[in-house]
Structures are given as C-alpha cells and as structure tokens.
Amino acid sequence: MLENKELANEKIVCGKFDSNINILAVKSSNKNIRIGSINPNTLKYKEYIPISTDGKVILYDNNTYGVRCFFEHTNKSVLNKLIILTIKERNLILEELVDFDINIKIFEVIYPIFNDIKYISNISKNYKKLTELLKEIISLDLKGNSISHGISTEHLFKIERKLRLKNKLDYFFAFAYRGGYQEVFKLKEERKDRVVIAFDFNSMYVDCMMGEFLEPKSIRYEDFRTKKLNVESLNNGLYRVILKNPKDTFFKVFHPFKYMRLNSSYYFNLEENQEIELLLFNNEIDYYSKFFLDIDILEGFISKKTISHPLKYYAVKLYKDRLKYKKEGNHIMQEFCKFKLITIHSSTNPKRFKSLHFESINEIIKYLSLKYMIFFPKDMPDNEKLATIEDYKYFNFKKTKNGYNAKLINYDSNESIYSLSAQITANSRVKIIKTIERFLLHDSVEICYSNIDSVHISILKSEVNSFLYENEDIISNKLGDLKIESVSSKGYWFDVGRYWLLSDDKVDIFKNILFNNKYDNTFFLKNKKFKVICKGEIFNYVTSVYLNIFNAFSYNKKVESNKYIDYTDYIRYDFNEVYNLNVANESYNLEILRSKKTKVDLYNKIATV
C-alpha cells in the first residue's frame, strides 16, 4: 500500500510523533505566562511508617502479624503511610495490597541513592535497615514524597526565581525533544587483533548546560521563507528546516534523525537526493549543514536575547562536590550529588498530564492533529487508530458509556520550560556525533555502540596508545570529558541498554535492560518474572508475566550479512523499508525471520562463560 507522500517526492518529515510538522495557532500562543513552581520550604518531611515482610507475616512496631490480618485490622491512616524496604517485599504481598487497595511506598525506588540495599529472609534485619535509612533521609534534609519530588521541586523553584516568565510559544519546543543519541552499530566484536574501549562522558547533560540559551520570555515566531539566512549566524532558536541532498560522508550512516509514524520511530539511511524536514536548533543547523548540499530555513522560534542556564553555576559546584565526595569515599553523598545533577535537566520537562473527555473517536483524532501533529491514514479503521498510538508514556484512552476518557501529555503545563530542556538534549546529540566524527578520523576505529553519554569503539590493539594520545585533550575527569570505563577483548551488543564486554571469558561490564538492575548482578539472565496489577472495570487483580530475553530483542536495525565469523555489524534500513507502518512491520518481520536465530545462538554462546 504505497500511500505515503514522502516516498514519492523523497522528502522525509521527521516529527515528534508522526511524519508531520504543522506549526499552528502561533499568534494565539504568543504571550507570556508565569512559570509554575512551589517553594521547597513548604514541603514537609514525609511521615512514613516502616514495615517488613517475608510474604507470610508483617513486622510492624516490633510485633508480627499475619499479612491479611494486619491489613484488615489496621487503621487506614496508618496504611496510607506504609513504606517497605525492597521491591521484593512488595511483590511478596502484592495480591493483598491490591485486595485492600493499599499503595505502599518502596524505599529503594523512591530513594535510589543507597547501593547497599538488598532483601534478605530475616525480616527483623530488613526492618532495622529500613528504620536506619529513614533516619538518614532526615539527616540529608530530604523533604517531599520522594527524593525526586523534593529535589526537582527545589530545582524548578530556583529556575522560576531567576526567569519568572516564559512565552507560551515554549510549547512548540516540546516537539524538538526527541531524546539523546542512542544506537547500536555492531552485534559482536571478537577479532583477536582488536580491543573494545568503552567511554562515558562525565555528566554529559550538565556540560551541555554551559552554552547560551534563549530567554524563555523573549521567544517570538518568525517566518523566514522569503529571507536568505546565514546558517553560521542564526539567532538562538528552534527552526523548521529542510536539509537537501546528503553528501557522501559518515553522517549518512550516523545521523541522529528518526522517521516517526504514529508514535513509532525508525532509523534509516540517508540517500542521494533525499530531503529531510525537521525542527532543529541553530547549533544543530550550523553543524549538520556541512553534510548536505543545501538547506532551506522555513520558520522558527527565536530570541535575540540569550541567557546562561539558570542553574549553570549550581551544577558546576555539584559536580566538584561529587568528585570531592568520591575521593573521600563518601558513597552516599557522591550518589546524592549525582542524583541532583541528573535531576537538573529533568526538572524543566516534568511529565504532566491532562485528563479530557471526548464524545467520539473523531473528536480525539481532530484534537491529536491540532495539539500533537498526529495524522492517521484515511483508510485505517477507527478501532486501530487509538490502539496504534497508545503507549501510556504519552497517550492513554479509556472507553466509557458517554465516549472516551483520555489522559494526554500536557505540553502546555506552566511547570515545563522545553526551550531549556530541548536545547540541552540537542547539545548532547551534537557533542556525541562530533565525538564519533573525531574518532572515525583514526583509520582503524569502528563505532560499536552509543547511548546518550557513552560510546564504545573497536580499535586495533597496536593503535590504542596512539589513539589515546591523539584524544588526550578530551579524556580526563573534567566536566564533559570522556573517561574510560573498560578496555575489553570482546564485545556483544544486542540493543541499546543490552550489552556485554568481556576479557579472558570474564565480564568486564554489562547492561541488560528489563532483566537486571543495580541490585542484581547476575550476568546472563534469560527469563524474568514480573508481577503486574491488571485494572478492570469492576475489580483489580495481580497476574504474573514472564519475559524471555529472546523475545525482548529488537529488530530496528538489520544484522549485516557477511562471511566473517569474528565480527558482525548492524545496518540501518533504507527509507523505502520503513516509510509506512505496514511496510515497516513487514521489514521487521523479515528481519526477525532472518536474524533471530543468529542473536539467540550468540547469546547462548556467551552465556556459558
């Protein structure tokens, strides 16, 4: 079904949720509003009541009770304040929690700065550990419902005190917010004359706060279709552009753009004569333009007045404090500073939702088109439209007697400042692609993996010293520089967040998203059991879901066919393989048939080490 206009004229539109960028209602949005924040001094220390359990009994206030008996006879005011040490304990009593409609808090989830938390079968020791940690929370002066709540409230308040206002046009910057640079380029590296070096950036997002930002209250819209602009001297801002005719450079394979269709994203190769329409910041345009023969700048949201990030100097001090605590061996304060650094960026793009009621699917479709730039194919059945984009991260719909209740991401929230957040993320994409470009200047370097603030490379053993010497100016413990996480003899990358780097058949470092967390260091898990709460119309219930790692592999890139047995690369799909949902699904299914056995066999092989 060749219904997609982008394929016909070779213009590929990369929007936030869909292959569409339609900037509407600009004039009505052009006014300033007060940034919303809460004074952190008004937050209280959360009064939690600790318990522990082994699934059979509950320890509370130095007494033990049967689980159901405790929930049946304990006052509701107590039940609403309960906290437990670990996820494991929560799962042991999850059915009872659902039966009695109790929302228990989990310490290791809401205060994730303590690395020595582990469930043990002795409920008295778990209880003692929990009470000690709750005292630690008071000593750290952590107020609010969680560490995230307290710290993000503090950060947003500091930002609001300095900025006060934002223009409502800030809403459109949410549509540039596509996240950091994440991609897997190699499935395996086993060549004996090579090593794999894993680099991490030191506080990538904090470093990306160091430049100039638009002043949020001074943002204005401007149409540039009748003007000729110099890409090297653009005002700070977000621009709708068309990048034309890619040059034959590394960027054709490593570009950060993703094609979006109804909330699904696709990597794709750049090809000759293509045109890419998307929203880019001025510094992205300045850098990316050299990889194209021409560029059209159509319109944008700019500000002639620029500012430093409101928390720039605070972030620099936090980074120095973290290094000091690390040197002193103060792990808790080191992790506390790290958490604060991470939260600075997210504090200006909190997830806020709005609840709306619609009488029909057509009403929903019109609203999604207007507010989120989502357009459904005309021939798609109504019952498929909502199911296609529903992901609970942005959109959730529930059928009612009178229509539909919708829970939608709220880009109009007065607590969000997307012109700051999106710029930081754009800076990080430029930084990591510039690093890849620099690394590839060394002839034997091959890029294996990248995930927001990390890069893995493969390089000839004999050239490691010369490579490190060439790049010594960006490898240090300084903010924004690279640090070496490991130098390994082999590497295996199955997905973003799922890799294993080995030396002498021992695991140096690994990540296995969904299957492992910081409290579980089992190297090669194949199965994971999850307890989930299913919410029905009349009642809720608990069920178990079993996930097998072989069914968790993604196929958003193809495994390259080659005759070599000691290394294998991934390659992106061509655009004609993903240009609409039907074609993309067919391409993915073909790739599953072609490469799943290769991935399964490889995982089984390395899991024996």
Side-chain angles (χ1 to χ4, degrees):
M1 184 175 63
L2 305 182
E3 46 85 11
N4 204 308
K5 64 182 180 182
E6 286 86 354
L7 191 63
N9 63 14
E10 288 298 320
K11 186 173 79 169
I12 302 168
V13 183
C14 298
K16 168 79 173 183
F17 297 112
D18 203 2
S19 57
N20 178 67
I21 299 173
N22 191 7
I23 297 173
L24 302 172
V26 170
K27 292 182 180 179
S28 63
S29 299
N30 191 15
K31 65 179 182 179
N32 286 337
I33 60 171
R34 184 70 178 261
I35 296 169
S37 72
I38 298 172
N39 189 329
N41 293 326
T42 64
L43 297 179
K44 307 294 184 183
Y45 291 111
K46 184 68 176 179
E47 183 186 349
Y48 286 120
I49 297 175
I51 64 169
S52 66
T53 184
D54 59 4
K56 299 175 183 177
V57 298
I58 284 177
L59 178 60
Y60 161 68
D61 197 22
N62 295 318
N63 294 303
T64 57
Y65 306 86
V67 175
R68 299 194 75 86
C69 179
F70 176 77
F71 290 141
E72 283 176 355
H73 297 98
T74 301
N75 190 287
K76 190 68 175 177
S77 63
V78 172
L79 296 178
N80 289 336
K81 298 177 182 177
L82 293 180
I83 190 169
I84 210 159
L85 182 64
T86 63
I87 297 172
K88 171 76 172 178
E89 290 171 281
R90 192 283 305 262
N91 288 343
L92 289 172
I93 58 172
L94 187 57
E95 291 187 10
E96 288 82 2
L97 292 173
V98 171
D99 287 347
F100 289 95
D101 192 25
I102 298 168
N103 181 22
I104 198 168
K105 302 300 180 185
I106 307 166
F107 187 92
E108 68 174 345
V109 172
I110 62 175
Y111 298 108
I113 62 173
F114 302 92
N115 285 342
D116 58 345
I117 296 175
K118 188 175 182 180
Y119 170 79
I120 57 177
S121 56
N122 187 315
I123 61 173
S124 296
K125 289 184 177 180
N126 290 334
Y127 183 84
K128 181 181 178 183
K129 180 70 173 179
L130 178 57
T131 54
E132 290 172 352
L133 288 172
L134 288 173
K135 291 177 183 177
E136 186 78 29
I137 295 304
I138 301 296
S139 69
L140 291 172
D141 197 30
L142 287 175
K143 299 177 182 178
N145 298 328
S146 65
I147 185 173
S148 179
H149 177 220
I151 298 303
S152 60
T153 299
E154 177 187 340
H155 288 165
L156 186 57
F157 182 74
K158 288 179 178 179
I159 292 170
E160 185 269 329
R161 291 288 94 181
K162 291 189 176 183
L163 299 181
R164 297 290 185 175
L165 302 172
K166 70 169 184 175
N167 193 285
K168 289 187 72 174
L169 293 174
D170 182 82
Y171 160 86
F172 291 97
F173 287 77
F175 293 90
Y177 195 81
R178 290 181 295 276
Y181 188 81
Q182 299 175 289
E183 192 163 354
V184 184
F185 299 97
K186 198 177 288 290
L187 173 59
K188 73 174 179 179
E189 176 57 270
E190 295 178 336
R191 286 173 283 186
K192 297 185 184 301
D193 61 345
R194 286 179 165 264
V195 294
V196 174
I197 306 178
F199 292 99
D200 274 4
F201 288 91
N202 299 314
S203 292
M204 165 73 93
Y205 279 167
V206 174
D207 180 61
C208 292
M209 293 168 53
M210 296 300 108
E212 291 185 331
F213 291 79
L214 299 87
E215 184 179 57
K217 69 180 180 182
S218 299
I219 298 171
R220 60 185 175 85
Y221 168 81
E222 192 163 335
D223 193 320
F224 301 109
R225 274 170 273 238
T226 60
K227 302 176 183 179
K228 188 67 177 177
L229 301 179
N230 182 352
V231 298
E232 296 178 0
S233 57
L234 294 173
N235 287 316
N236 278 53
L238 181 69
Y239 297 81
R240 183 161 76 95
V241 303
I242 300 176
L243 305 171
K244 296 182 175 182
N245 303 317
K247 298 178 183 178
D248 190 15
T249 67
F250 87 101
F251 196 75
K252 291 178 76 171
V253 175
F254 289 94
H255 71 84
F257 316 138
K258 288 186 180 181
Y259 178 66
M260 300 295 302
R261 196 69 185 100
L262 297 180
N263 208 19
S264 295
S265 64
Y266 305 98
Y267 299 105
F268 64 95
N269 289 312
L270 289 179
E271 300 172 51
E272 189 178 4
N273 298 323
Q274 283 178 335
E275 296 182 357
I276 315 297
E277 180 182 333
L278 70 170
L279 295 171
L280 293 176
F281 279 88
N282 53 290
N283 60 319
E284 292 182 286
I285 296 170
D286 183 29
Y287 176 51
Y288 300 155
S289 61
K290 70 179 182 178
F291 303 115
F292 295 84
L293 290 178
D294 196 12
I295 176 172
D296 288 345
I297 301 177
L298 306 178
E299 57 189 333
F301 304 95
I302 66 171
S303 170
K304 292 184 178 179
K305 186 171 182 180
T306 60
I307 59 170
S308 295
H309 193 286
L311 298 186
K312 171 182 175 179
Y313 298 107
Y314 170 74
V316 171
K317 182 181 182 303
L318 272 178
Y319 183 76
K320 291 178 180 178
D321 288 345
R322 185 189 172 204
L323 292 181
K324 177 176 74 76
Y325 288 127
K326 183 178 181 180
K327 188 176 181 179
E328 294 172 354
N330 189 335
H331 182 77
I332 292 176
M333 289 306 299
Q334 176 193 339
E335 289 298 308
F336 190 29
C337 289
K338 180 181 178 180
F339 190 90
K340 284 185 173 183
L341 286 167
I342 293 170
T343 313
I344 288 174
H345 170 60
S346 60
S347 63
T348 53
N349 61 301
K351 274 206 175 71
R352 297 292 182 259
F353 292 87
K354 53 187 174 183
S355 297
L356 299 173
H357 180 78
F358 298 93
E359 293 184 357
S360 68
I361 289 182
N362 283 337
E363 268 192 31
I364 298 175
I365 301 308
K366 289 179 182 177
Y367 189 84
L368 294 177
S369 171
L370 177 66
K371 297 293 290 185
Y372 300 99
M373 306 183 197
I374 296 174
F375 290 84
F376 295 90
K378 292 181 179 179
D379 58 352
M380 178 178 278
D382 283 351
N383 61 346
E384 291 183 17
K385 290 177 179 177
L386 301 188
T388 301
I389 65 163
E390 186 172 39
D391 64 355
Y392 296 93
K393 186 178 179 181
Y394 298 107
F395 311 108
N396 181 233
F397 307 98
K398 186 176 182 181
K399 185 81 170 70
T400 67
K401 293 180 180 179
N402 303 321
Y404 295 85
N405 289 336
K407 184 179 179 182
L408 309 175
I409 189 76
N410 184 12
Y411 288 148
D412 291 311
S413 170
N414 66 346
E415 297 176 59
S416 303
I417 315 170
Y418 290 110
S419 50
L420 295 182
S421 296
Q423 176 74 75
I424 290 172
T425 311
N427 292 348
S428 76
R429 289 193 293 267
V430 170
K431 184 180 181 71
I432 207 162
I433 297 171
K434 282 185 174 180
T435 302
I436 289 172
E437 181 183 23
R438 175 172 174 162
F439 282 180
L440 289 174
L441 292 175
H442 195 103
D443 287 342
S444 76
V445 166
E446 297 174 12
I447 307 300
C448 305
Y449 176 89
S450 177
N451 185 13
I452 299 178
D453 62 353
S454 63
V455 179
H456 299 177
I457 68 168
S458 167
I459 185 173
L460 288 172
K461 287 180 182 178
S462 59
E463 298 182 11
V464 170
N465 289 336
S466 62
F467 172 80
L468 294 178
Y469 178 76
E470 291 167 6
N471 294 283
E472 64 178 355
D473 59 310
I474 58 170
I475 301 174
S476 76
N477 65 353
K478 293 179 182 177
L479 178 66
D481 276 359
L482 291 160
K483 61 178 179 289
I484 297 174
E485 288 292 297
S486 75
V487 179
S488 306
S489 59
K490 298 176 182 178
Y492 307 90
W493 302 266
F494 292 86
D495 287 301
V496 171
R498 182 168 292 122
Y499 64 83
W500 289 261
L501 305 185
L502 288 71
S503 296
D504 300 321
D505 291 331
K506 293 182 180 179
V507 176
D508 293 327
I509 57 174
F510 82 104
K511 284 190 178 177
N512 192 5
I513 189 170
L514 295 179
F515 289 81
N516 289 92
N517 55 47
K518 67 179 182 179
Y519 306 113
D520 184 353
N521 290 320
T522 306
F523 293 139
F524 298 103
L525 289 173
K526 292 184 181 179
N527 297 291
K528 186 84 171 182
K529 178 182 176 182
F530 300 90
K531 283 191 173 183
V532 297
I533 300 173
C534 298
K535 296 185 177 182
E537 292 284 337
I538 302 175
F539 61 89
N540 301 333
Y541 63 94
V542 176
T543 187
S544 295
V545 176
Y546 297 87
L547 182 62
N548 180 275
I549 194 167
F550 303 137
N551 295 326
F553 293 154
S554 68
Y555 296 87
N556 50 24
K557 295 189 73 173
K558 297 186 289 187
V559 174
E560 186 176 32
S561 300
N562 63 42
K563 59 184 178 182
Y564 306 105
I565 62 172
D566 50 3
Y567 75 96
T568 305
D569 293 334
Y570 290 104
I571 55 175
R572 292 178 175 180
Y573 293 92
D574 290 332
F575 181 65
N576 63 9
E577 295 177 286
V578 295
Y579 74 93
N580 71 29
L581 291 178
N582 292 335
V583 171
N585 288 336
E586 184 177 334
S587 298
Y588 278 30
N589 287 333
L590 287 173
E591 181 59 21
I592 291 171
L593 290 173
R594 197 180 67 82
S595 68
K596 183 172 183 177
K597 186 177 186 303
T598 299
K599 293 182 178 180
V600 170
D601 290 346
L602 180 61
Y603 185 85
N604 283 331
K605 171 190 165 185
I606 65 173
T608 61
V609 302

